[in-house]
Amino acid sequence: GTRIIYDRKFLMECRNSPVAKTPPSDLPDIPGVTSPNVEELKIENNHVQNSDEKVSAGEEEQFDMDI
């Protein structure tokens, strides 16, 4: 058979296409695969809140360097 070979420039341009950024309209709803899992959303929200709390609490970064 014949192979279709794409060059790097073409592929990099395709990644910015609106079609590449939207999922197909006929995808089934599968939690954790095609839509976020409810538990994953809770974990992400807690992680974001925890990291915000640490910054606001005045803790230093783990790798603070004195130059």
Side-chain angles (χ1 to χ4, degrees), residues 36-54:
N37 195 353
V38 175
E39 293 175 8
E40 290 176 3
L41 288 175
K42 289 179 184 177
I43 292 171
E44 284 182 21
N45 288 340
N46 287 339
H47 178 69
V48 170
Q49 290 172 354
N50 289 342
S51 64
D52 290 343
E53 290 171 2
K54 288 180 183 178

Side-chain angles (χ1 to χ4, degrees), residues 5-55:
I5 300 174
Y6 299 103
D7 63 344
R8 183 180 189 279
K9 182 183 174 202
F10 174 76
L11 292 174
M12 294 301 281
E13 290 172 1
C14 287
R15 118 184 191 187
N16 296 325
S17 169
V19 175
K21 295 183 179 189
T22 56
S25 60
D26 59 346
L27 278 179
D29 185 29
I30 305 170
V33 178
T34 59
S35 64
N37 195 353
V38 175
E39 293 175 8
E40 290 176 3
L41 288 175
K42 289 179 184 177
I43 292 171
E44 284 182 21
N45 288 340
N46 287 339
H47 178 69
V48 170
Q49 290 172 354
N50 289 342
S51 64
D52 290 343
E53 290 171 2
K54 288 180 183 178
V55 172

